[in-house]
Amino acid sequence: MECKESKELLSEYIDGLLDGGTRARVEEHLDSCGGCRDELASLKTLVSELGSLDIVPAPEDFLRQIHERLDTPSRLSRILRTLFVPFRIKIPLEFAGAAVVALLLGFVFLVETPVIYRAPGTQDKLDERLARKPASTRQTIPSKEESLPSFTSEAEETVGKNKQKRVPIELALLIKKFPEEEASKTLTFVDAPSLQTKARKKSSRDKVGTAEGLAGRAESLDRAPAAEPASPAPSLEAQGLSAEGDEAFPIHKVTEIVGLAGGEILEVHDAIDGAATRSILLNIPAHRYPDLLEKLGTLGILQNPDSPPQDLTGDLQVRLRLLFPK
Amino acid sequence: MTEADSKSKNAAHDDDGLVLSCQKGDRGAFDALVIKYREGIFNLCYRLLGDYQEANDTAQEVFLKAYRSIKSFRFEAKFSTWLYTIGVNTCRNRLKSLEYRQRERTVSFENPGKPKNIESVLEIEENEASPAIQVERKERMQWIQDAINSLPNDRKTVLTLRDIQGFSYEEISDMTGLNLGTVKSKLSRARRDLREKLRGLV
């Protein structure tokens, strides 16, 4: 037996756990090996020393401390007892509390609030615009909403500016003489700048219409022109219009036509070049523009009317030049 | 049957009676068991943990666990084995959380310093030898305890149960859950390590 094997068996040898054969081999080796004998001796001393270690006494109140811990509920038990005892009172209260909390959280998170974004510097621009607006049109913005951008007023101003900058549609109307003009005269559309007429058949005779006041009559622009009244049209003098230049009647007629189309006359200008013209700036809903052209055509010859706008929303500005025949 | 076996059998029989009473709610029976095994459990905890206060807390925890689970004891083994198994497991768990403290404890023979813990615990009996011998004895015990503390936990446990507490290999196997061969090898290793650490002292 080698020393290494012998040393590993010394512990069991001390405790008497080796079988007969192994024990004999260990003892045989010990007889011839002083080192292993020393090792055995030190191990026996150590085991003896360990076995004689003083017993460390427990505290005198060891049992009392155990009783205290047995009788005192644990922290978890105390918490549970505080929360749930008595059951019939605390559990309903806690459910009610949880329901209130859930309602509050739902109110906070589920009610959508508008998110308002504002570009930096916007507020200064808004203030300037508000200051320029007439006092009567200024809106009083509550203090709470001062930080909110006034998109409505800004949009309105933008639209207004756009309206002002809009290029009016140019129209020229060569007023025909009436009522002496032949009723069968057809409407023509000529290319600018010439006034060459083109024959165009009309399904019905043009109706010049009678001269009536601006108080107006409810005449549908879609109504087919009726037959000429049997009686001749009242004279211009009877209408209170100047017979000079035959200008008053067409202007009033134009005014009537524009009014019935839902538009409004913005400006009326006399020609400054001495020509017998008048310029009328008017506003008309875009979708009524074709009707306007049709009705104006009853008053004369429209020169190069622009095509109806593709976008029939909003209003159009039309500058109508009335050309009076000499 | 030897006298030791007879005493052990009688003790176990006494324990069974106390346990039965305890299972029925007899607090006094539980107190009796605590008094009987107080020193053994406390010393087991002290030797494994190396600290008096830790040993006190852990030993109380051992008995509290036993009290809470006393009804699950089926009398298939001795109550002492069952109780010490709880003790070994509780100390093992505690050692894991205190492992950083065990690494700080080193055995220094060059400058052993003043004895720790035991000096404040052990009573100086009047019939002891001279104070010098008593101090030497206390220091010696502290050095041994420090050397035990430096062992790996499993070897320390087996060494304590066998050489300090006096349990058999089979009982140690039951308490630790290690098979018999592992108990033998770990004990052999622990003894040899301790001898190396205490060379010159023992």
Side-chain angles (χ1 to χ4, degrees), chain A residues 187-241:
Chain A
L187 284 173
T188 59
F189 293 93
V190 299
D191 293 329
S194 65
L195 293 177
Q196 295 177 359
T197 61
K198 293 183 180 178
R200 190 179 81 168
K201 288 188 177 179
K202 286 187 66 176
S203 58
S204 58
R205 293 172 60 185
D206 285 341
K207 170 141 182 85
V208 176
T210 59
E212 300 203 343
L214 289 177
R217 60 186 182 199
E219 177 182 348
S220 170
L221 290 176
D222 292 329
R223 195 182 72 179
E228 226 177 71
S231 60
S235 64
L236 291 175
E237 288 79 359
Q239 297 173 46
L241 298 173

Side-chain angles (χ1 to χ4, degrees), chain A residues 154-175:
Chain A
E154 187 178 6
E156 286 177 352
E157 290 178 1
T158 304
V159 170
K161 284 187 178 180
N162 288 341
K163 283 184 181 176
Q164 294 171 10
K165 294 180 182 177
R166 191 182 304 171
V167 177
I169 298 174
E170 298 291 339
L171 277 181
L173 177 64
L174 178 62
I175 301 297

Side-chain angles (χ1 to χ4, degrees), chain B residues 52-67:
Chain B
Y52 188 86
Q53 191 57 47
E54 288 289 344
N56 186 31
D57 294 339
T58 306
Q60 292 180 27
E61 190 64 31
V62 171
F63 284 104
L64 290 172
K65 287 182 179 180
Y67 181 79

